[in-house]
Amino acid sequence: MLKLLSKRLKRILFTTPSHGQNPPPFKNISNLKKFYRWDYSEIEGFDNLLDPKGAILMAQGKASDIFNTKKTFFLTQGSTTGILAILKTVLNFKDKVLVARNCHKSVFSGLVLTGATVDWFMPDTKSEMCAKWGIMGEVNPEELKDAFKLNQYKAFIMTSPTYEGINSNIEEISKICKEFGVLLIVDEAHGALYNFSELLPKTAIEQGADFSVNSLHKNAGALNQCALLHISKDCPYDWREVQNTINLFHTSSPSYPLVANIEASINFLSSKKGKKAIGQLITDIKNFQTALENEGFEFLKGDNKDITKILLRLDNADCSKLSDLLFEEYNIEDEISSAFSCLYLTGIGTNKGKLNKLKSALINAKNKKFDKIGIDKTLIPVFQPYPLVKLQPWEAYNRDYIYVQKENAPLMLSSEMIVPYPPGIGILYPGEAIQQEHLEYLNDDAGVIKP
């Protein structure tokens, strides 16, 4: 698309970007020459991502056909832009919304911006699986239905797959949402490959979600910030409304190389070569798991589990120590680790050789001495306890605050958000009461909203 637009332009441009499609003489930047060559602004003859009428419109139309949506938008500022745009389109001041607590922090930002009133919904945290692996699980449809019986909501916002690859039954959740007239918004950032393989779960849109987002840079091989926003064909909102709200948050100078990269990623994934690559990745992961299971490692598996998110543990071992060992001695870094498990994200770009290096390192590391941990089935993961909301996000934002000693903080209202990154999921947000379980995440001085 970008190549078609530029046709290797021989123009002398006095426009942004000022580099004129050539890398400046910065040290160690000459290898970015091709990237600079395609970095244009909205010059004559080029399309505009914020008001597409030509090549970008055609590229997004093709993507809509591939994803079977009413409209698919290209985003060059990550799924965060999509989340903000969806919430601003759907929610008005003091609209009531139900949000799964394992949401990304961008949802909280959207609640601040819209002035919506939030109730938090807790995905599974109490099951043996959650205690064993130290993670949040799926959304229980029956518990969701009970919540809808008690309150009337404009929308339900959830994450599927979770950071660790747990998928909820969106098809059943969608039916319940439609029964109660609630819009279903799914953060599917980590499910960008689902549309392109029958070996992976169905997409949120296929299962009845009204809106969803994908981050192509998570595991689909695209550059950072490449993402998509999808509107289902049954969604009651006009795509033009969404375009208008995207434009509120999107830069007026979107990157053409990123736009081109989004298009190229989708075209590759939907091709025979791309689908074959996904199939080979899944085969390689299965072989990797089998080999390590024979060495005593355990993997989180299941019909609702995305195999491309490798969550593993070694019985009775403190996996945070295992993570440290792999980094220090083998230069292998996981996405996130805890005492319970290590998470290794894979995707386009993960080949057999890379997995073999990880396998060898894990096998060599398993014979080291690790701190032992016992699995407490009553343990609540770090995303707990249930939030005590005293001020809504929009009320808490920009409120005056003071600092107090950490030991004096319990039951005072936090003025700050505590969001470990990764995964970008909030443990504590402004306006919520600080509880004993939060203290380990606080500095000696805790910022609290001024009484």
Side-chain angles (χ1 to χ4, degrees), residues 260-319:
N261 191 242
I262 292 170
E263 182 189 32
S265 296
I266 295 171
N267 289 344
F268 172 76
L269 293 170
S270 59
S271 69
K272 289 183 179 180
K273 188 175 181 180
K275 292 177 180 179
K276 183 179 179 181
I278 297 172
Q280 186 61 55
L281 170 66
I282 293 171
T283 297
D284 291 341
I285 293 172
K286 288 180 177 178
N287 292 336
F288 168 86
Q289 290 179 336
T290 299
L292 284 173
E293 284 171 338
N294 293 333
E295 297 288 339
F297 288 88
E298 184 179 357
F299 294 85
L300 181 61
K301 295 182 176 181
D303 294 338
N304 66 340
K305 175 68 173 61
D306 180 349
I307 192 173
T308 68
K309 280 80 174 161
I310 300 174
L311 193 68
L312 61 79
R313 61 185 295 273
L314 188 60
D315 194 33
N316 290 326
D318 183 339
C319 289

Side-chain angles (χ1 to χ4, degrees), residues 116-151:
T117 299
V118 64
D119 282 345
W120 294 105
F121 180 88
M122 300 306 296
D124 176 23
T125 60
K126 303 287 180 68
S127 68
E128 183 175 350
M129 182 273 290
C130 290
K132 182 176 182 179
W133 292 92
I135 62 173
M136 272 189 169
E138 59 188 291
V139 169
N140 184 310
E142 290 305 313
E143 291 180 6
L144 182 66
K145 192 170 186 176
D146 289 342
F148 288 166
K149 289 178 180 177
L150 293 173
N151 292 283

Side-chain angles (χ1 to χ4, degrees), residues 80 83-101 103-121 153-158 185 249 387 389 391-397 417 429-430 432:
T80 291
I83 293 293
L84 296 177
I86 293 168
L87 268 58
K88 188 63 178 175
T89 300
V90 168
L91 300 177
N92 296 310
F93 185 59
K94 290 195 175 180
D95 276 348
K96 201 161 188 178
V97 58
L98 185 65
V99 181
R101 185 63 179 189
C103 69
H104 187 263
K105 65 178 184 177
S106 59
V107 174
F108 182 85
S109 300
L111 296 173
V112 172
L113 291 168
T114 60
T117 299
V118 64
D119 282 345
W120 294 105
F121 180 88
Y153 296 104
K154 182 76 170 289
F156 175 55
I157 305 168
M158 61 177 292
I185 302 166
F249 303 109
V389 179
L391 291 175
Q392 288 296 317
W394 63 272
E395 294 177 301
Y397 190 74
M417 62 172 68
Y429 286 117
E432 296 176 356

Side-chain angles (χ1 to χ4, degrees), residues 246-264:
I246 289 174
N247 294 352
L248 288 176
F249 303 109
H250 222 299
T251 173
S252 58
S253 302
S255 167
Y256 279 99
L258 292 184
V259 173
N261 191 242
I262 292 170
E263 182 189 32

